[in-house]
Amino acid sequence: MCTCLFIQSKNTYFGRTLDLDDHFMEEVVITPRNFSVALRNGGNLQTKYAILGMASVLKDYPLYFDACNEKGLAMAGLHFCGNAVYFPPKAEKENLPTYEMMLYLLGNYTSVAELRPFLEKLNLSDTPFSPELPLAPLHFMIADEKECIVIEQTKEGLAVYENETGVMTNNPPFPHQLANLQKFANLTPKYKAPKKTEENVSFASVGYGSLGLPGDDTSPSRFVKAAFLQKTATKEKDEQGSITQFFHILDAVSMVKGSVLTETGAYDSTIYTSCMNTTKGIYYYKTYGNNQISAVRLTEDNCTAPFLTRYPLNLSQNICYHN
């Protein structure tokens, strides 16, 4: 369970929550230019552009959860269980398993417009990373400074959707999320005077314009709430204000440990929350155990390094004591 968010203000911001019941050795990882990997369905990839994001590294291979490249193209993969369908490699298609998607697209392309012809030929293949690591059921959100799209492959095939909401969560498929969102078209941030009861009891309060805004942890509810906040939140002009707003929006749809149990009885919680300034190449994040915002920058040194640059997460709470 996760929520992805895209905001365009003075700069472009893209990020997500990762809601899971366990950690996967995630860390902030920079893949440099000219990083070479063998593709599982044949051929090799040598990245043209450096990539910055959150990943688990296995056998020197960065398995990205979310990332952006040095040209400002950003991408995230979110859980899509029950609807994601992968097909065997097809000779007439460009075949990529989901774990190669971010490395390949961000390593090769600079914008959504540039990668669209490739997406028309794309098949998400059923090739696992290894026998011990089966494929995760995923769909993807991709954005640059001009546009945002969603990629989903179901039993009907691969589809690319325009995403004017700047939001993606999990199930159901994206068109159903948009249809459900229309039910809340009456919500507004504007002041509405509360009605009094027959007993003339006052319910004086602000916020009646958003009465009925969902607040539960289900994917459709998180989609509606994040879309409402994305549309109504003030767009700040400075960097600190912008990332503060971004994190506050995602905080509103984050999971508190103990509030959601999985089928196995484990606790789902927001493992980390990210916000990328894709214009400047900065990856901000905070973790469940540490509310302080940490940041990693793309620099020319790590863009040209001959290896992956890795930054372990700050997981312990940092508290500022005033006395």
Side-chain angles (χ1 to χ4, degrees):
M1 307 297 285
C2 310
T3 304
C4 191
L5 180 66
F6 163 70
I7 291 179
Q8 178 67 50
S9 56
K10 182 179 180 181
N11 293 314
T12 302
Y13 298 90
F14 185 100
R16 55 94 57 82
T17 63
L18 181 69
D19 307 324
L20 291 173
D21 57 8
D22 200 2
H23 288 273
F24 287 85
M25 301 177 295
E26 62 274 3
E27 54 190 337
V28 181
V29 179
I30 296 173
T31 300
R33 304 176 199 129
N34 301 312
F35 186 77
S36 182
V37 295
L39 298 174
R40 295 305 170 96
N41 292 311
N44 288 279
L45 166 66
Q46 190 167 26
T47 57
K48 298 177 183 176
Y49 310 111
I51 302 167
L52 166 65
M54 189 74 74
S56 296
V57 179
L58 296 178
K59 301 177 182 178
D60 205 37
Y61 193 106
L63 301 168
Y64 280 106
F65 299 98
D66 54 280
C68 67
N69 67 17
E70 60 182 298
K71 298 298 183 179
L73 186 65
M75 186 173 179
L78 275 65
H79 202 58
F80 196 43
C81 184
N83 284 302
V85 175
Y86 306 134
F87 302 110
K90 301 176 182 180
E92 72 280 10
K93 292 285 189 177
E94 297 284 354
N95 299 288
L96 290 179
T98 53
Y99 53 85
E100 288 181 345
M101 280 281 283
M102 276 186 248
L103 201 61
Y104 190 92
L105 296 183
L106 298 181
N108 276 316
Y109 297 97
T110 64
S111 67
V112 172
E114 186 183 353
L115 63 80
R116 282 184 187 274
F118 177 83
L119 296 180
E120 293 175 0
K121 301 178 290 182
L122 177 63
N123 170 51
L124 295 180
S125 72
D126 59 0
T127 314
F129 183 81
S130 68
E132 300 79 28
L133 190 64
L135 288 167
L138 300 175
H139 58 172
F140 299 91
M141 189 162 104
I142 308 177
D144 58 26
E145 64 178 358
K146 295 181 179 179
E147 56 185 324
C148 180
I149 61 173
V150 167
I151 300 171
E152 294 180 341
Q153 185 168 288
T154 64
K155 62 183 179 180
E156 285 80 22
L158 188 136
V160 178
Y161 303 105
E162 306 302 317
N163 185 1
E164 295 183 359
T165 69
V167 169
M168 188 177 79
T169 56
N170 312 104
N171 290 318
F174 191 69
H176 297 277
Q177 296 277 28
L178 293 180
N180 181 61
L181 182 63
Q182 294 303 312
K183 300 176 184 177
F184 300 89
N186 63 304
L187 299 181
T188 175
K190 296 180 180 179
Y191 176 79
K192 283 189 176 182
K195 295 181 179 180
K196 293 186 177 181
T197 66
E198 293 180 0
E199 295 81 10
N200 204 32
V201 176
S202 175
F203 284 79
S205 172
V206 296
Y208 274 89
S210 61
L211 189 65
L213 181 66
D216 61 77
D217 291 317
T218 63
S219 175
S221 292
R222 284 183 286 108
F223 188 98
V224 172
K225 189 169 188 180
F228 176 78
L229 295 174
Q230 197 271 8
K231 182 178 180 180
T232 60
T234 59
K235 304 300 188 290
E236 303 298 313
K237 296 181 179 179
D238 64 298
E239 182 72 354
Q240 288 193 1
S242 295
I243 64 172
T244 297
Q245 281 290 74
F246 198 99
F247 278 106
H248 275 305
I249 293 172
L250 289 182
D251 283 345
V253 291
S254 294
M255 291 189 178
V256 177
K257 189 178 293 184
S259 64
V260 177
L261 282 168
T262 67
E263 292 180 7
T264 62
Y267 292 119
D268 248 2
S269 64
T270 299
I271 300 295
Y272 74 82
T273 306
S274 67
C275 170
M276 291 172 268
N277 181 330
T278 64
T279 307
K280 296 182 177 180
I282 307 173
Y283 190 96
Y284 301 96
Y285 75 90
K286 62 180 183 177
T287 64
Y288 192 89
N290 183 10
N291 301 96
Q292 184 186 60
I293 297 172
S294 301
V296 176
R297 298 182 180 92
L298 271 179
T299 68
E300 188 61 24
D301 284 344
N302 54 47
C303 284
T304 56
F307 46 74
L308 298 176
T309 305
R310 302 164 61 175
Y311 299 89
L313 301 191
N314 292 323
L315 299 174
S316 299
Q317 194 68 269
N318 291 330
I319 300 174
C320 176
Y321 290 95
H322 288 282
N323 58 16

